[in-house]
């Protein structure tokens, strides 16, 4: 069911968006060579406890997950791009790290993600990693710009896809954006490729997560033996960018702006 939020409810969602931005900023600052992924998860967990918020991930167990997630943040490294389950891994110079985080504050959820290179770029990878990350960010900006009253979900999808295709990337549509509200995942689904002018009409009060993600040389993924982490089938790197936005008569509001 697609739900529309009142202006007051959108205001009530702002603290969740600000907190998600704060956590991602803190985790990014802490993600240095030698730091363990489990340390990053514990940092996010400590911030959740201090804020009195509720994790959207720790008990999350959808059909595609092997078991409840058990951690509070997704950490996807290099060829992993989505749902990266934090584990005993010390970050290395040049790793491409994607962090995804969703949390509930006062009963409202916000969801956001970013990708970056840890430390110094790996030899020979500076330009390719920068292009991959920047393309995901530009696609996110294009998707948000298309999220205006009178457009349709397909307009967001088409805007994201154009940026990705123009950069030479193929696009997987198994996972994409989604409705956000009292729960982390709701309707409508917002694919990262689609036809403009098609799909659900964008109306004031619709709150969605827009989340383009690209893999360097494939659009095929497989699930790691951990039962969660999604990796590229050919071992190429991935990047992921995401914001929670509210659609209003005056244009989209980015609730998770950093």
């Amino acid at each position: 069911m697609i739900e529309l939020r009142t202006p007051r409810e959108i205001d009530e969602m702002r603290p969740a968006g600000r907190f998600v931005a704060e956590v991602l900023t803190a985790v990014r600052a802490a993600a240095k060579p030698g730091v363990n992924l489990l340390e990053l998860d514990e940092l996010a967990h400590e911030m959740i406890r201090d804020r009195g918020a509720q994790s959207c991930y720790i008990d999350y167990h959808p059909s595609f997950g092997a078991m409840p997630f058990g951690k509070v943040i997704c950490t996807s490294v290099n060829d992993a791009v989505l749902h990266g389950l934090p584990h005993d891994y010390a970050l290395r110079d040049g790793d491409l790290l994607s962090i995804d985080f969703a949390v509930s504050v006062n009963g409202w959820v916000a969801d956001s993600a970013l990708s970056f290179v840890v430390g110094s770029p790996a030899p020979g990878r500076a330009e390719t990693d920068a292009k991959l990350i920047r393309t995901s960010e530009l696609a996110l900006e294009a998707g948000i710009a298309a999220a205006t009253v009178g457009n349709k979900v397909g307009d967001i999808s088409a805007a994201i896809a154009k940026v990705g295709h123009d950069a030479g990337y193929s696009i997987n549509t198994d996972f994409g954006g989604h409705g956000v509200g009292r729960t982390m995942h709701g309707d409508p689904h917002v694919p990262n490729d689609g036809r403009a002018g098609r799909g659900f009409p964008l109306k004031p009060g619709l709150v969605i997560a827009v989340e383009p993600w690209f893999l360097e040389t494939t659009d095929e993924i497989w699930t790691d033996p951990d039962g969660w982490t999604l990796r590229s089938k050919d071992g190429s790197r991935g990047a992921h960018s995401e914001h929670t936005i509210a659609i209003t008569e005056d244009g989209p509001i980015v609730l998770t702006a950093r």
Side-chain angles (χ1 to χ4, degrees), residues 11-79:
D11 282 341
E12 291 173 350
M13 297 182 78
R14 291 179 185 271
R18 287 194 295 268
F19 181 62
V20 165
E22 289 170 10
V23 172
L24 287 177
T25 299
V27 172
R28 177 171 187 168
K32 301 181 184 302
V35 173
N36 197 292
L37 296 181
L38 295 176
E39 294 179 74
L40 299 181
D41 183 73
E42 179 52 35
L43 170 59
H45 206 162
E46 182 178 358
M47 293 182 73
I48 290 172
R49 289 192 292 263
D50 289 346
R51 182 62 173 79
Q54 291 185 321
S55 170
C56 291
Y57 289 169
I58 200 161
D59 294 322
Y60 186 52
H61 190 189
S63 59
F64 57 81
M67 66 286 188
F69 191 73
K71 305 296 181 184
V72 301
I73 196 164
C74 293
T75 53
S76 303
V77 182
N78 296 332
D79 65 319

Side-chain angles (χ1 to χ4, degrees), residues 51-141:
R51 182 62 173 79
Q54 291 185 321
S55 170
C56 291
Y57 289 169
I58 200 161
D59 294 322
Y60 186 52
H61 190 189
S63 59
F64 57 81
M67 66 286 188
F69 191 73
K71 305 296 181 184
V72 301
I73 196 164
C74 293
T75 53
S76 303
V77 182
N78 296 332
D79 65 319
V81 67
L82 296 175
H83 309 161
L85 184 64
H87 59 284
D88 185 12
Y89 174 82
L91 290 167
R92 301 171 184 173
D93 218 28
D95 278 343
L96 199 167
L97 175 62
S98 299
I99 302 172
D100 193 358
F101 180 65
V103 73
S104 175
V105 175
N106 301 325
W108 293 106
V109 171
D111 189 2
S112 186
L114 75 164
S115 296
F116 57 94
V117 172
V118 176
S120 302
R125 292 217 53 94
E127 291 186 8
T128 52
D129 285 349
K131 176 187 174 183
L132 185 61
I133 293 168
R134 185 59 180 152
T135 300
S136 74
E137 294 170 343
L138 290 173
L140 176 60
E141 292 173 8

Side-chain angles (χ1 to χ4, degrees), residues 209-222:
V210 178
E211 55 174 316
W213 59 276
F214 305 121
L215 298 167
E216 192 175 355
T217 55
T218 186
D219 60 5
E220 295 186 73
I221 54 178
W222 65 282

Side-chain angles (χ1 to χ4, degrees), residues 135-148 151-167 171 190-198 202 210-212 214:
T135 300
S136 74
E137 294 170 343
L138 290 173
L140 176 60
E141 292 173 8
I144 292 172
T148 58
N151 277 354
K152 296 186 177 181
V153 165
D155 293 294
I156 298 175
S157 303
I160 291 170
K162 183 177 189 310
V163 174
H165 288 313
D166 285 352
I171 298 174
V190 185
N192 289 324
D193 197 356
R195 292 176 59 185
R198 303 289 293 272
L202 304 180
V210 178
E211 55 174 316
F214 305 121

